[in-house]
């Protein structure tokens, strides 16, 4: 069903429909290709997928096959037109932007922007909710995150890679929720080779490179492990002491192939340069990192209560000292712009296709069992799912509940996956 608008608009819509029903397709009917297309107004000015919008203007055509309406390049479905009105509706998310009417090679653009209202629907992709080990589909599968604050990842085929710390295994979830084990015997330890005989020491983070290799950080093993598509496990990097204290997340620069990881107690972000583990960012207690297409790194910082950006210089292969994008430095749960916002020990972080950041809280008794959105450019922080308190509930936006949502990943469709640590489930947030 489409989102209905007010009674006045409905009356106009009925009158318009009667007029449109009498109009025959005629690409010359009242349309002058030598005159501009004008978009004067539209109503309503905000809505979700399914919303009907009535567009008023001039020099339209009555032929629905000749006219196109878009917002941010995303087409709306045309319900009917005449020479000065168009009725269209949303079939998919468009984002906020002006309404553009196009006929042939001419376009007219509204002065005002339509505000698209995203909704965030939280479901459970996999996990029974009980700590244990079982492969299977959906609720038939079991995880044991055992208090290990983990970061998961997703590939271009929408497969999710989960570090299952309590089970000492790496798990894979297909889009239909089927969970399998891709590496690990279930024993804590260290062993290379075939995935079925490999051992891990509290796997904590995963990422996937352009060739399908999966990189895994170990919370206690001080290693970055690599799992090739044929199931061979090896050590990509190892460090004792600084640079190998609690490896919490890992990312890959898909342009250069460089692998970076956050070391919580190593106070920085590290990489492998010329065979040597090297600290490239020096800042206290980085929890989780993510990377944009330009190679810039974004990090949550536990004690600082902030989200920071570290800009990458490809010429010198180095990062700057970073700037605060969001967070006042004081513990709290406050939405707002940039440093007016507050976090309660932010943990997980990921980036969507529009360079917006999503951040999850640590939970563990803190009022941070929620997912926050940081809008690119203005760095406005808003809460999109959960309400801070711990629990378990499906639902939309603030009606959903999490318990320790420490890890988050975003797929190519901008849907999100959350490692709900204390609930031993993987949650999916569908963006509509």
């Amino acid at each position: 069903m489409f989102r209905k608008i007010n009674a006045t608009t409905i009356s106009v819509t009925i009158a318009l429909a009667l007029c449109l029903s009498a109009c025959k397709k005629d690409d010359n009917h009242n349309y002058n290709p030598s005159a501009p297309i004008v978009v004067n107004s539209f109503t309503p000015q905000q809505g979700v997928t399914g919303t009907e919008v009535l567009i008023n203007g001039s020099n339209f055509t009555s032929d629905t096959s000749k006219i196109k309406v878009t917002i941010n390049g995303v087409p709306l479905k045309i319900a009917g037109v005449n020479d000065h009105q168009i009725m269209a509706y949303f079939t998919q998310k468009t984002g906020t932007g002006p309404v553009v009417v196009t006929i042939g090679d001419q376009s007219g653009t509204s002065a005002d922007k339509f505000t698209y209202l995203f909704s965030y629907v939280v479901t459970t992709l996999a996990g029974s909710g009980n700590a244990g080990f079982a492969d299977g589909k959906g609720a038939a599968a079991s995880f044991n995150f055992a208090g290990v604050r983990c970061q998961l990842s997703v590939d271009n085929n929408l497969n999710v890679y989960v570090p299952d710390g309590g089970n000492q295994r790496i798990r894979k979830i297909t889009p239909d929720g089927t969970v399998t084990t891709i590496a690990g015997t279930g024993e804590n330890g260290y062993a290379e080779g075939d995935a079925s005989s490999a051992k891990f020491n509290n796997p904590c983070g995963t990422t996937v490179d352009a060739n399908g290799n999966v990189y895994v950080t170990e919370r206690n093993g001080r290693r970055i492990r690599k799992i090739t598509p044929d199931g061979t496990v090896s050590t990509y990097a190892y460090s004792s002491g600084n640079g190998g204290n609690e490896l919490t997340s890992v990312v890959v620069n898909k342009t250069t192939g460089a692998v970076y990881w956050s070391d919580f107690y190593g106070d920085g972000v590290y990489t492998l340069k010329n065979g040597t583990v090297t600290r490239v960012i020096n800042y206290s207690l980085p929890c989780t990192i993510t990377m944009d297409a330009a190679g810039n790194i974004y990090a949550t910082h536990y004690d600082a209560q902030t989200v920071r950006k570290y800009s990458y210089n490809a010429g010198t292969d180095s990062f700057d000292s970073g700037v605060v994008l969001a967070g006042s430095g004081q513990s709290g749960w406050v939405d707002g712009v940039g440093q007016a916002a507050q976090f309660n020990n932010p943990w997980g972080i990921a980036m969507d296709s529009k360079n917006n950041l999503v951040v999850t809280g640590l939970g563990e008794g803190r009022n941070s069992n929620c997912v926050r959105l940081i809008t690119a450019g203005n760095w406005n922080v808003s809460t999109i799912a959960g309400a801070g308190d711990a629990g378990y509930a499906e639902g939309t936006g603030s009606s959903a509940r999490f318990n320790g949502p420490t890890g988050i990943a975003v797929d190519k469709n901008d849907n999100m996956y959350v490692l709900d640590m204390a609930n031993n489930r993987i949650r999916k947030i569908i963006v509509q």
Side-chain angles (χ1 to χ4, degrees):
M1 295 298 292
F2 303 127
R3 176 66 60 91
K4 298 301 178 185
I5 52 184
N6 61 46
T8 301
T9 304
I10 291 173
S11 299
V12 173
T13 303
I14 294 170
L16 177 62
L18 291 173
C19 175
L20 295 174
S21 67
C23 293
K24 296 180 179 180
K25 286 188 176 181
D26 178 0
D27 58 348
N28 293 316
H29 183 73
N30 289 337
Y31 169 62
N32 180 0
S34 299
I37 298 170
V38 177
V39 180
N40 290 322
S41 64
F42 54 86
T43 186
Q45 293 192 324
Q46 63 179 23
V48 299
T49 296
T51 297
E52 298 168 327
V53 59
L54 180 62
I55 304 161
N56 299 291
S58 61
N59 200 29
F60 299 160
T61 176
S62 297
D63 188 343
T64 58
S65 70
K66 301 296 184 182
I67 195 164
K68 182 169 68 173
V69 177
T70 59
I71 295 176
N72 293 321
V74 180
L76 279 65
K77 182 71 172 178
I78 305 295
V81 296
N82 62 28
D83 60 353
H84 64 283
Q85 290 182 310
I86 303 168
M87 176 58 72
Y89 58 88
F90 293 76
T91 61
Q92 57 186 307
K93 53 183 181 282
T94 65
T96 294
V99 175
V100 179
V101 175
T102 302
I103 304 171
D105 59 0
Q106 287 199 91
S107 295
T109 302
S110 66
D112 295 332
K113 292 182 178 181
F114 181 90
T115 301
Y116 187 87
L117 303 176
F118 288 96
S119 59
Y120 302 88
V121 181
V122 181
T123 61
T124 295
L125 180 64
S128 65
N130 298 313
F133 171 72
D135 285 339
K137 186 174 182 179
S142 291
F143 301 93
N144 182 15
F145 298 129
V148 180
R149 303 169 291 201
C150 298
Q151 179 74 349
L152 71 176
S153 58
V154 58
D155 66 17
N156 283 333
N157 295 316
L158 308 184
N159 298 303
V160 181
Y161 297 87
V162 181
D164 191 352
N167 283 317
Q168 308 296 340
R169 292 175 167 97
I170 309 303
R171 319 286 291 279
K172 176 182 175 180
I173 311 175
T174 58
D176 70 352
T178 299
V179 181
T180 57
T181 297
I182 64 169
T185 64
E187 299 174 81
N188 181 293
Y190 170 70
E192 307 280 40
D194 184 80
S196 62
S197 58
K199 294 180 181 179
F200 296 88
N201 188 346
N202 292 105
C204 193
T206 66
T207 195
V208 186
D209 70 12
N211 298 314
N213 299 300
V214 179
Y215 294 86
V216 181
T217 58
E218 293 182 311
R219 180 184 182 186
N220 303 113
R222 295 183 173 178
R223 291 177 172 89
I224 307 297
R225 315 289 290 279
K226 179 180 178 180
I227 308 171
T228 59
D230 68 0
T232 301
V233 179
S234 60
T235 294
Y236 172 80
Y238 171 74
S239 177
S240 59
N242 199 29
N245 294 296
E246 184 176 337
L247 312 184
T248 48
S249 70
V250 58
V251 296
V252 176
N253 184 321
K254 293 186 179 180
T255 300
T256 66
V259 179
Y260 301 89
W261 59 91
S262 56
D263 187 336
F264 188 61
Y265 289 116
D267 287 336
V269 176
Y270 293 76
T271 191
L272 195 63
K273 284 191 176 184
N274 301 317
T276 301
V277 173
T278 304
R279 181 160 59 183
V280 293
I281 293 172
N282 180 11
Y283 200 88
S284 175
L285 300 178
C287 308
T288 304
I289 58 176
T290 191
M291 177 176 282
D292 65 20
N296 304 308
I297 284 179
Y298 304 78
T300 52
H301 287 280
Y302 182 90
D303 273 1
Q305 310 285 359
T306 56
V307 174
R308 294 173 62 89
K309 176 184 178 180
Y310 301 92
S311 295
Y312 178 64
N313 185 322
T316 59
D317 188 26
S318 62
F319 294 86
D320 68 9
S321 57
V323 295
V324 175
L325 297 182
S328 68
Q330 301 296 316
S331 178
W333 177 27
V334 177
D335 288 342
V337 176
Q339 296 182 42
Q342 290 184 348
F343 297 92
N344 271 320
N345 300 115
W347 194 266
I349 190 170
M351 177 173 281
D352 70 13
S353 65
K354 298 177 179 62
N355 287 346
N356 301 309
L357 295 167
V358 284
V359 175
T360 52
L362 181 62
E364 296 183 351
R366 300 166 180 86
N367 192 35
S368 61
N369 294 285
C370 51
V371 180
R372 317 282 290 279
L373 173 71
I374 306 176
T375 305
N378 64 7
W379 312 119
N380 180 62
V381 180
S382 57
T383 302
I384 60 174
D389 56 326
Y392 170 72
E394 313 283 62
T396 300
S398 61
S399 65
R401 291 293 183 274
F402 304 91
N403 194 354
T406 55
I408 189 164
V410 182
D411 69 20
K412 62 184 180 182
N413 301 317
D414 287 339
N415 295 314
M416 305 168 201
Y417 303 83
V418 176
L419 191 148
D420 197 356
M421 180 179 63
N423 281 322
N424 285 298
R425 292 177 169 100
I426 302 300
R427 315 290 290 281
K428 181 176 182 179
I429 304 177
I430 301 171
V431 183
Q432 295 180 336

